[in-house]
Amino acid sequence: MVAQESGLSEQYLNEIKEKSQSSLYDLYLSNQVAQMAINAQAEVIKKIASQGSCVIVGRAADYVLKDNESVVSFFIYAPEEYRIKKIQEMYGDDEKTAKENMLKSDKARANYYKNISGKTFGDAKNYDFCIDSSIGNEKTAEMIIDFINKKTNKK
């Protein structure tokens, strides 16, 4: 949807978050085309949210939708050792490669989030609920659903 709205290629849009991890990252995100893509992405997120209940993963959606009273934002995390094991299982990486890829991805997410929101990625005060997913997928999903149900029943 963002590619259609902005006229930019899907490949370019996907590269925005994964681009350079260096100090040049902020410079990259500040260029006019990148800003057009980021703005188009924000508009698509707002459009999707305005159409009803939805789940948006990443893309600083919590910040983009900060003025929407019905938004519930989550930060799902896990201990480093658990994450490395999961990466090894999913991608077949050895431990060293899995850790390198995890750290590279974490840095890209943090830089992207900081550039969009001006806030620190993973800071608990930015979210309604933070959960350690090492408790397992089912339990994590149950806790998220329970939190949403309790929060929406209060309104």
Side-chain angles (χ1 to χ4, degrees):
M1 286 177 73
V2 174
Q4 290 174 346
E5 297 252 341
S6 67
L8 299 169
S9 77
E10 248 182 89
Q11 180 182 354
Y12 178 78
L13 294 169
N14 288 332
E15 288 175 359
I16 288 174
K17 200 168 106 180
E18 286 85 29
K19 208 64 174 167
S20 170
Q21 309 312 308
S22 71
S23 59
L24 295 175
Y25 189 79
D26 288 337
L27 180 61
Y28 169 75
L29 285 179
S30 70
N31 84 51
Q32 189 174 8
V33 177
Q35 285 303 309
M36 283 175 46
I38 290 166
N39 292 339
Q41 179 177 272
E43 291 309 311
V44 168
I45 289 170
K46 289 175 185 176
K47 183 177 181 179
I48 291 168
S50 74
Q51 295 172 354
S53 294
C54 61
V55 175
I56 300 172
V57 178
R59 306 294 178 186
D62 63 305
Y63 179 77
V64 171
L65 297 172
K66 68 184 181 303
D67 296 327
N68 185 327
E69 291 181 19
S70 64
V71 168
V72 180
S73 63
F74 296 90
F75 186 75
I76 302 170
Y77 64 94
E80 187 175 286
E81 305 80 37
Y82 178 84
R83 295 172 64 209
I84 290 169
K85 272 189 175 179
K86 283 294 191 185
I87 292 167
Q88 288 178 281
E89 290 171 13
M90 291 176 68
Y91 301 107
D93 292 349
D94 60 53
E95 185 176 349
K96 181 181 179 207
T97 303
K99 184 173 183 172
E100 288 170 356
N101 289 336
M102 177 191 72
L103 294 174
K104 183 178 177 181
S105 180
D106 287 352
K107 188 170 185 178
R109 285 186 181 108
N111 285 336
Y112 183 85
Y113 189 78
K114 178 77 169 177
N115 186 275
I116 302 297
S117 68
K119 297 180 177 189
T120 302
F121 180 73
D123 185 344
K125 67 183 174 200
N126 297 334
Y127 308 95
D128 294 312
F129 189 68
C130 297
I131 185 167
D132 179 347
S133 64
S134 67
I135 62 174
N137 294 341
E138 293 293 319
K139 187 69 175 164
T140 300
E142 287 172 18
M143 291 182 74
I144 289 170
I145 291 166
D146 187 50
F147 183 86
I148 292 170
N149 287 337
K150 287 179 179 173
K151 185 167 181 168
T152 56
N153 283 340
K154 289 181 181 178
K155 293 184 176 181

